[in-house]
Amino acid sequence: MGETRLPRHMFLWCLSAIYMFAFASLYVQIPGLYGNEGVLPARWQLRVSGKSVVEQLKDSPTLLWFGPRLGLDTQQCMELLSLTGALLSLMTLALPVLRDCRVFLVLWILYLSLYQVGQVFLYFQWDNLLLETGFLAILIAPMKMPWSTKERLHDNVTFWLARWLLFRLMFASGVVKLTSRCPTWWGLTALTYHYETQCIPTPLAWFAHQLPAWFQKLSVVGTFVIEIAVPFMFFSPIRRHRLAAFYVQVLIQVFIILSGNYNFFNILTITLCMSLLDDQHVNFWLRRYMPKTESTSLQTLCSWLAVVLEIGTYAVLGYWSVRYFDLQVDWENKSVSSRTAFTYFEFNGFLKTVTVPSIWIGVLSLTWEVISAMFKCACVRGVLWRLWNTIQWAVMAAATVSMFAISLVPYTYIEYDAHSNLWPGIRTAFEVTDRYQLVSSYGLFRRMTGVGGRPEVVIEGSMDRNTWTEIEFMYKPGNVSAAPPVVAPHQPRLDWQMWFAALGPHTQSPWFSSLLHRLLQGKRDVIRLIQTDESQYPFSKQPPAYLRAHRYKYWFTKPKEDGSYPQRWWRRVYVEEFYPMVHLGDSYLEQMLDQHGLKDKAPPRRSSNAWLPQLLRHVGKHAREMPTPLLLWTLFSSAATVCLLNSLRSLARHHQHESLQNKHADKQETGWNVEEEDVKKHEEEDVKDNAEEDGKEQEEDATSEEEQEGEIEEEVNTEETDVDSLRKRK
């Protein structure tokens, strides 16, 4: 795999945003869920005992044990931790210098501290996924403060863990749909129920529900291919395989985001998909074209061979899809028929065959990254730098191998034989680290609920036992005329648990009795979980004297025969009584509270008037007045704007620096040209001077020769005159 510097930056930036969404979303719900007068007070999870702080941290690793030392009760300490996490992640989102491994360590500790007392409202798979991804970010993020090294030759090794986590998430999510023996998944009809039975659908879910049945079944086939077969392409040595897998995974996550409100889960999955990218492809997005190098004949042959293997892989995927799902095109009706053409035992045989090889594929892929990083360290110039990079490589490679090893325990839950054959030392290491949520098992949408209609609990209140008024929640379906909301990335955790409560009797959801008890008491923090705007709550002036709950079944409405849209989004039918009529002091309600330990055994601690509790109350009062989705997107937009301005500023500085370098280079070139012209002029002048001097010398030589010739002639003439005079004398 090529360089991954830019995908790592994108991964850390997206994870900062997800942390901000998670902390801020939970912060506004803490008083109603975990407050002293909330549905499940968190102080019940931190019973005072004679143990030391160290022993308490071993039993439950959370920073909430230090709350009393700050003069805070459990609710206020939870608010402080979540507010700190939201602000720190917001700053990390805006400022690149804060995307440091130690900052991500703090964020992970803060979220883990809240998770330990979260009880049923925080026990979702995406909370476990965020904790595991957040711990991996500690290994992936650089150490920037107070100094940073540009060369981090082990980055591809640690970043590989994100790819392995993505593989475990997607592959297990596809496998459990079939191992659960859910008839809707085996019959390829799950999506005909999914859009209307999911927890909080979006308005687009209504339109998706109206799609023809053959298309819904074909979509289930595509889901199985994307979640079971495509993840093996994550570790392909062919780069285009990984890029194709990236786009396919992002595509299915975008479809889920458009049709359902699954908080930050889908964004977190897309963030993990960044591990499939490299710098070259990100530069292609940014229109930064890299210079092409001349390829040798061997490289050309390898590239053609890779193309052949790539096309062969897609052909095999298509062949298996057609064969095992019996895909047939009906050209007359313009549809595609499909059915499951394999049995449960055949699929179990496939799972036994592929689980262990998938582990060895991960081993080979990780080994390649480790050895490649080792060779890079060996090629570093300078003995000290080579030693420093080798030490970093050794530490990070050991941490990566350890994380990979303990992740095999939850991964092999999908197949019994592979799990039982694991080395006992790996199981021991997993048991030691399990309380810290370093790794988890995954498997989303195991069974499809609401096949005969979406069950929904409707709470009704009354003052006189004759006139009953429905208490409508902000997000979950209730009013049949109200459009489904768009609330992601916020997760209204009470609305989610109301969806789970409707699937069974109320005795399976003990917190529901506490909810009714708080509503009868008129606790404002709990009422804000149902309606942020208290004017929309029918008993805002006076709490109801009586409460009861009924179970209904909901369905999406259908378009009219003329093709127009109906006025209502839902239709419903009454099913049965879910919770009998109760009032304050009612014997049945008191019995349920006592049975599940939901009654206060000790009075709550009085709130302090110190500056920190007062500051927390002031901030919470103003923060909870705004709708939570709007608050989250406002925070994200402000941080993204700061980040964009910083990027534009750095880009402008980069262009300015390049222009200065170009000007300097031009000056140097023009300087060299001037010097060359001067030299040529000097040479020409020297040539002219030399020519003139030569001419003068030639003239002087000529005159000297003429003078010599004249002297010779004179001498000859004198000699001739002398001879004539002698002759005359004789």
Side-chain angles (χ1 to χ4, degrees):
M1 191 170 181
E3 293 297 324
T4 58
R5 183 180 61 87
L6 294 177
R8 284 196 311 274
H9 290 330
M10 296 166 60
F11 172 83
L12 296 176
W13 187 85
C14 293
L15 187 59
S16 301
I18 293 168
Y19 262 129
M20 188 271 295
F21 290 143
F23 279 115
S25 175
L26 182 60
Y27 169 72
V28 297
Q29 302 178 77
I30 285 176
L33 294 178
Y34 305 112
N36 296 326
E37 297 179 343
V39 179
L40 292 178
R43 60 189 176 89
W44 295 347
Q45 302 296 314
L46 300 175
R47 299 295 185 183
V48 178
S49 62
K51 297 181 180 179
S52 63
V53 177
V54 177
E55 293 176 343
Q56 290 174 338
L57 288 174
K58 287 182 179 180
D59 295 336
S60 179
T62 173
L63 297 179
L64 296 175
W65 293 113
F66 298 96
R69 300 190 178 188
L70 298 175
L72 303 175
D73 58 19
T74 305
Q75 174 190 340
Q76 293 170 340
C77 193
M78 288 187 71
E79 292 179 348
L80 177 62
L81 295 182
S82 58
L83 186 61
T84 303
L87 294 178
L88 183 59
S89 55
L90 185 67
M91 295 171 60
T92 306
L93 179 64
L95 304 175
V97 70
L98 291 179
R99 291 171 210 149
D100 183 272
C101 60
R102 289 160 294 186
V103 174
F104 283 102
L105 174 61
V106 174
L107 292 174
W108 178 77
I109 292 175
L110 292 175
Y111 204 78
L112 178 65
S113 300
L114 298 171
Y115 177 86
Q116 294 296 327
V117 297
Q119 306 171 71
V120 70
F121 292 109
L122 262 173
Y123 290 169
F124 293 99
Q125 290 196 41
W126 33 85
D127 294 309
N128 297 92
L129 183 63
L130 179 57
L131 284 171
E132 184 170 353
T133 308
F135 186 80
L136 296 185
I138 302 171
L139 303 177
I140 296 171
M143 186 178 292
K144 293 187 176 182
M145 301 175 293
W147 55 273
S148 174
T149 57
K150 294 183 179 179
E151 292 186 357
R152 286 170 46 89
L153 304 179
H154 60 270
D155 281 339
N156 283 6
V157 178
T158 54
F159 200 38
W160 180 90
L161 287 172
R163 204 187 329 166
W164 173 247
L165 174 57
L166 177 65
F167 172 80
R168 288 166 42 216
L169 172 67
M170 301 310 299
F171 185 69
S173 297
V175 166
V176 298
K177 292 177 173 61
L178 295 174
T179 56
S180 65
R181 296 191 179 188
C182 177
T184 60
W185 287 115
W186 280 92
L188 307 182
T189 59
L191 290 185
T192 59
Y193 308 104
H194 165 72
Y195 297 111
E196 70 178 2
T197 60
Q198 59 184 324
C199 180
I200 305 177
T202 66
L204 288 179
W206 186 91
F207 296 93
H209 181 72
Q210 313 304 328
L211 294 172
W214 68 266
F215 186 83
Q216 306 283 25
K217 297 178 70 174
L218 188 63
S219 300
V220 176
V221 174
T223 301
F224 284 137
V225 173
I226 292 173
E227 293 184 348
I228 297 178
V230 172
F232 287 94
M233 296 168 60
F234 296 169
F235 307 106
S236 173
I238 300 176
R239 176 173 172 268
R240 285 189 293 268
H241 274 164
R242 300 191 298 271
L243 295 179
F246 166 81
Y247 283 109
V248 169
Q249 297 297 332
V250 171
L251 181 64
I252 191 174
Q253 297 303 321
V254 170
F255 284 157
I256 297 174
I257 291 174
L258 294 176
S259 62
N261 291 282
Y262 291 95
N263 49 79
F264 56 81
F265 166 66
N266 305 110
I267 307 175
L268 183 54
T269 306
I270 294 175
T271 301
L272 290 173
C273 291
M274 301 296 178
S275 60
L276 303 174
L277 300 175
D278 53 23
D279 285 355
Q280 181 180 352
H281 197 69
V282 176
N283 283 323
F284 170 75
W285 288 349
L286 301 175
R287 296 296 185 267
R288 297 176 184 172
Y289 297 103
M290 305 297 292
K292 294 183 179 180
T293 58
E294 295 183 359
S295 58
T296 62
S297 58
L298 180 61
Q299 291 175 339
T300 304
L301 178 62
C302 291
S303 63
W304 278 106
L305 181 60
V307 171
V308 173
L309 292 175
E310 182 182 4
I311 296 175
T313 302
Y314 300 145
V316 170
L317 285 178
Y319 170 74
W320 283 349
S321 300
V322 173
R323 177 182 176 183
Y324 291 108
F325 293 100
D326 194 18
L327 299 179
Q328 296 180 1
V329 180
D330 186 355
W331 298 105
E332 294 182 359
N333 298 324
K334 296 181 180 180
S335 62
V336 179
S337 63
S338 57
R339 68 179 182 87
T340 306
F342 55 91
T343 64
Y344 175 78
F345 298 101
E346 289 175 344
F347 181 75
N348 268 346
F350 161 79
L351 198 57
K352 290 181 179 180
T353 304
V354 80
T355 302
V356 175
S358 68
I359 295 175
W360 284 109
I361 290 174
V363 170
L364 292 176
S365 178
L366 177 58
T367 303
W368 172 261
E369 297 293 349
V370 171
I371 294 177
S372 300
M374 182 184 66
F375 276 106
K376 290 180 182 179
C377 294
C379 296
V380 174
R381 293 182 178 180
V383 177
L384 294 179
W385 283 111
R386 187 181 304 133
L387 177 62
W388 172 244
N389 281 278
T390 303
I391 293 174
Q392 282 186 322
W393 165 82
V395 173
M396 291 302 178
T400 303
V401 171
S402 302
M403 287 294 298
F404 171 73
I406 63 175
S407 70
L408 296 179
V409 176
Y411 170 64
T412 53
Y413 286 158
I414 60 177
E415 207 281 307
Y416 176 78
D417 292 339
H419 181 73
S420 60
N421 292 330
L422 284 178
W423 183 46
I426 296 178
R427 289 202 193 91
T428 303
F430 172 76
E431 292 172 359
V432 172
T433 59
D434 186 35
R435 69 182 65 183
Y436 303 107
Q437 302 298 318
L438 300 186
V439 293
S440 301
S441 60
Y442 303 101
L444 300 170
F445 303 109
R446 183 184 302 268
R447 300 186 64 88
M448 191 57 57
T449 60
V451 176
R454 172 198 180 95
E456 200 67 56
V457 173
V458 176
I459 302 176
E460 298 178 348
S462 174
M463 303 299 296
D464 55 4
R465 304 175 65 176
N466 294 321
T467 304
W468 294 90
T469 304
E470 292 187 8
I471 298 177
E472 185 177 351
F473 284 65
M474 285 185 291
Y475 307 117
K476 83 176 191 68
N479 184 358
V480 294
S481 300
V486 177
V487 300
H490 169 55
Q491 181 184 1
R493 296 181 181 268
L494 178 60
D495 294 66
W496 268 86
Q497 287 301 328
M498 288 290 293
W499 180 77
F500 283 107
L503 301 178
H506 71 84
T507 53
Q508 295 181 0
S509 304
W511 56 268
F512 192 82
S513 298
S514 179
L515 172 64
L516 296 184
H517 185 231
R518 297 304 187 190
L519 293 179
L520 289 171
Q521 292 176 333
K523 300 301 181 183
R524 302 178 66 87
D525 292 332
V526 178
I527 293 173
R528 288 195 186 99
L529 296 176
I530 298 175
Q531 288 290 342
T532 303
D533 184 3
E534 293 188 19
S535 62
Q536 301 295 323
Y537 184 68
F539 302 98
S540 57
K541 296 181 179 180
Q542 183 180 358
Y546 304 93
L547 284 176
R548 68 183 183 185
H550 290 154
R551 195 197 318 265
Y552 288 81
K553 283 193 175 181
Y554 278 65
W555 296 269
F556 271 139
T557 55
K558 296 181 179 180
K560 298 180 180 179
E561 294 181 357
D562 58 357
S564 61
Y565 298 130
Q567 295 180 352
R568 295 181 177 181
W569 292 82
W570 301 94
R571 61 185 181 88
R572 73 179 187 180
V573 173
Y574 175 81
V575 178
E576 60 185 350
E577 182 184 70
F578 179 77
Y579 204 98
M581 183 186 63
V582 292
H583 56 85
L584 286 178
D586 186 86
S587 59
Y588 183 80
L589 180 60
E590 294 294 327
Q591 177 186 352
M592 296 302 299
L593 294 176
D594 289 334
Q595 180 179 347
H596 300 292
L598 298 174
K599 294 190 69 174
D600 287 328
K601 296 180 181 180
R605 181 180 176 182
R606 293 183 179 180
S607 59
S608 174
N609 292 325
W611 67 272
L612 185 56
Q614 288 185 351
L615 178 63
L616 291 173
R617 286 193 291 268
H618 179 74
V619 173
K621 178 181 179 181
H622 292 282
R624 296 181 182 96
E625 292 178 353
M626 183 185 300
T628 308
L630 179 61
L631 174 64
L632 297 185
W633 285 115
T634 302
L635 294 175
F636 175 78
S637 301
S638 59
T641 302
V642 173
C643 189
L644 179 61
L645 293 176
N646 290 333
S647 300
L648 294 176
R649 187 179 303 172
S650 61
L651 185 62
R653 290 177 180 175
H654 179 69
H655 288 316
Q656 185 178 4
H657 182 65
E658 286 184 349
S659 62
L660 291 175
Q661 286 183 342
N662 294 331
K663 288 181 180 179
H664 184 64
D666 293 338
K667 287 182 180 179
Q668 288 182 347
E669 291 179 359
T670 53
W672 282 107
N673 293 332
V674 170
E675 291 179 357
E676 290 178 356
E677 292 177 358
D678 293 339
V679 170
K680 289 180 180 179
K681 289 181 180 179
H682 287 303
E683 290 178 352
E684 291 176 356
E685 292 177 356
D686 293 339
V687 170
K688 290 180 180 180
D689 294 339
N690 293 331
E692 292 177 356
E693 291 178 357
D694 293 339
K696 290 180 180 179
E697 290 178 354
Q698 291 177 0
E699 290 177 357
E700 291 177 355
D701 294 339
T703 53
S704 60
E705 289 177 355
E706 291 176 355
E707 290 176 354
Q708 290 177 358
E709 291 177 356
E711 290 178 354
I712 293 172
E713 290 178 356
E714 289 179 356
E715 290 179 356
V716 172
N717 291 331
T718 52
E719 289 179 355
E720 290 179 353
T721 54
D722 291 339
V723 172
D724 292 337
S725 62
L726 288 173
R727 286 178 180 176
K728 289 178 179 181
R729 287 178 182 175
K730 290 179 178 180

